[in-house]
Amino acid sequence: MMHDVIVVGGSFAGLAAALQLARARRRVLVVDAGEPRNRFAAHSHGFLGHDGKSPAQIQSEALEQLLRYPTVTWRQGLAMGAARADDGFRVTLDDGCELGARRLILATGVRDELPALPGLAERWGQTVVHCPYCHGYELEGPLGVLASQPGSLHQAMLVPDWGPTTLFMQDLPALDEAESARLAMRGVRIERERVTELLGDAPHLEGVRLASGRTVPLHGLFVASRTVIASPLAEQLGCAFEEGPQGALIQVDSMNHTTIPGIFAAGDAAMHFSNATRAAASGVMAGVAAHRSLFMGLS
Ligand SMILES: Cc1cc2nc3c(=O)[nH]c(=O)nc-3n(C[C@H](O)[C@H](O)[C@H](O)COP(=O)(O)OP(=O)(O)OC[C@H]3O[C@@H](n4cnc5c(N)ncnc54)[C@H](O)[C@@H]3O)c2cc1C
């Protein structure tokens, strides 16, 4: 069966896109591999009306509402390949099934690449986090920022509102005078000795060990990850990319149209400084834009 739109990725961005299309009575298929970026966190915060629910609960409630629309089809699986066809696009799933649609929405999210430090990965989403607005409120006590990229300085300026903060410089070049002064004004303590290990019974965090063996007590550590787009589909289809502060992003215009006619992208894969709300909002835009393009054309 030919669908109007296939949405690849069924989390905040993809479900929001599909909902707009379902409400326009369009045949939309959502394919999802079930690995949303925030799956490591027990609770999601800051998403209006759902603050404190688990990511899985938010997704299952949204999916349950979406599936009330009879023109929606949901497939659990991985889209392995996509290509242009005369009448639109073909998407091949990991079970070998080939699906067709006039438009594609890529809402595949990103994968976080974390610094390789013993004890860090197993605390990700719990006591090692990237976003103070998402998880800072729950982390009481001394906090750290593990510098991993220039954006870490921005993180260190923010975090003192959630607790007394130490910036661990790791690989970051020395601070200039203005940066030092700004961090001092925020009361940030600077630690130049390298962190070698995280301590405590994971996911609980008690502190970090430094290269000399000295330990620093901490209850939470903020890390700015590098991100990688979670799926090669955009590349296969020839979409253009741009470099964001944390990694490459699919290039889109203000209507979430990629550089390839008929392909839209939304969510973390197509925007920086994203969170659940912003991903869902961009999904709405992609869904509306894909719908309009079905009868307005692609110019
Ligand atoms: C640890 C952590 C905690 C977070 N906590 C919060 C929070 O509390 N509040 C908040 O607002 N934000 C939070 N965020 C950010 C939030 O998770 C993201 O902004 C949001 O999930 C992005 O939504 P998305 O739909 O773009 O991508 P995702 O939620 O990552 O979903 C992408 C989906 O696409 C699927 N997919 C990928 N490739 C394919 C393919 N080829 N075929 C089929 N399916 C595919 C994936 O399996 C996944 O299900 C957190 C992020 C992290 C890392």
Side-chain angles (χ1 to χ4, degrees):
M1 173 181 155
M2 189 72 178
H3 299 275
D4 290 315
V5 181
I6 292 178
V7 180
V8 185
S11 180
F12 293 98
L15 291 176
L19 188 57
Q20 304 306 308
L21 289 153
R23 292 189 53 74
R25 298 196 169 91
R26 292 292 180 162
R27 283 163 306 166
V28 54
L29 179 136
V30 184
V31 52
D32 183 57
E35 293 199 332
R37 185 181 178 196
N38 62 352
R39 66 189 180 280
F40 304 96
H43 304 281
S44 169
H45 292 281
F47 192 55
L48 199 62
H50 298 274
D51 190 53
K53 287 183 185 170
S54 72
Q57 188 184 352
I58 297 174
Q59 201 239 13
S60 72
E61 286 177 15
L63 180 59
E64 191 264 320
Q65 290 171 7
L66 179 68
L67 292 178
R68 288 180 204 158
Y69 293 87
T71 56
V72 177
T73 310
W74 170 264
R75 293 282 297 250
Q76 179 76 36
L78 186 70
M80 302 290 286
R84 277 186 269 190
D86 290 343
D87 53 355
F89 301 93
R90 292 287 176 274
V91 175
T92 310
L93 305 190
D94 51 354
D95 61 5
C97 181
E98 195 179 82
L99 305 158
R102 293 167 64 198
R103 303 285 184 265
L104 270 190
I105 297 179
L106 302 176
T108 59
V110 296
R111 214 176 45 241
D112 292 282
E113 290 191 339
L114 302 172
L117 264 187
L120 192 143
E122 53 267 46
R123 292 178 170 86
W124 179 239
Q126 308 284 332
T127 48
V128 175
V129 293
H130 74 304
C131 166
Y133 299 99
C134 301
H135 301 291
Y137 196 88
E138 284 68 37
L139 295 173
E140 283 181 24
L143 301 172
V145 174
L146 187 76
S148 53
Q149 52 178 280
S152 302
L153 288 187
H154 174 70
Q155 233 178 4
M157 288 294 290
L158 281 177
V159 170
D161 278 1
W162 285 271
T165 304
T166 302
L167 171 62
F168 297 90
M169 290 293 287
Q170 298 295 85
D171 297 324
L172 217 61
L175 299 169
D176 65 28
E177 241 176 72
E179 288 166 339
S180 299
R182 277 200 296 273
L183 289 166
M185 261 177 52
R186 294 285 285 153
V188 176
R189 193 180 148 258
I190 308 293
E191 177 59 69
R192 292 189 173 77
E193 214 182 305
R194 286 185 72 80
V195 173
T196 56
E197 189 187 354
L198 279 68
L199 303 171
D201 194 9
H204 182 70
L205 178 67
E206 277 172 17
V208 291
R209 192 186 312 283
L210 305 179
S212 65
R214 184 162 55 94
T215 61
V216 179
L218 289 181
H219 291 168
L221 185 63
F222 289 84
V223 176
S225 59
R226 288 295 295 169
T227 60
V228 179
I229 294 172
S231 157
L233 292 188
E235 204 177 337
Q236 285 173 16
L237 288 156
C239 297
F241 294 86
E242 61 188 7
E243 197 53 33
Q246 288 180 265
L249 299 165
I250 303 171
Q251 192 182 317
V252 291
D253 65 14
S254 60
M255 300 287 281
N256 286 82
H257 207 175
T258 69
T259 50
I260 301 294
I263 306 178
F264 300 79
D268 284 12
M271 71 198 305
H272 51 83
F273 303 127
S274 186
N275 64 12
T277 309
R278 282 170 52 75
S282 74
V284 168
M285 179 54 81
V288 168
H291 172 234
R292 284 165 51 100
S293 77
L294 290 168
F295 53 88
M296 301 275 285
L298 284 166
S299 58

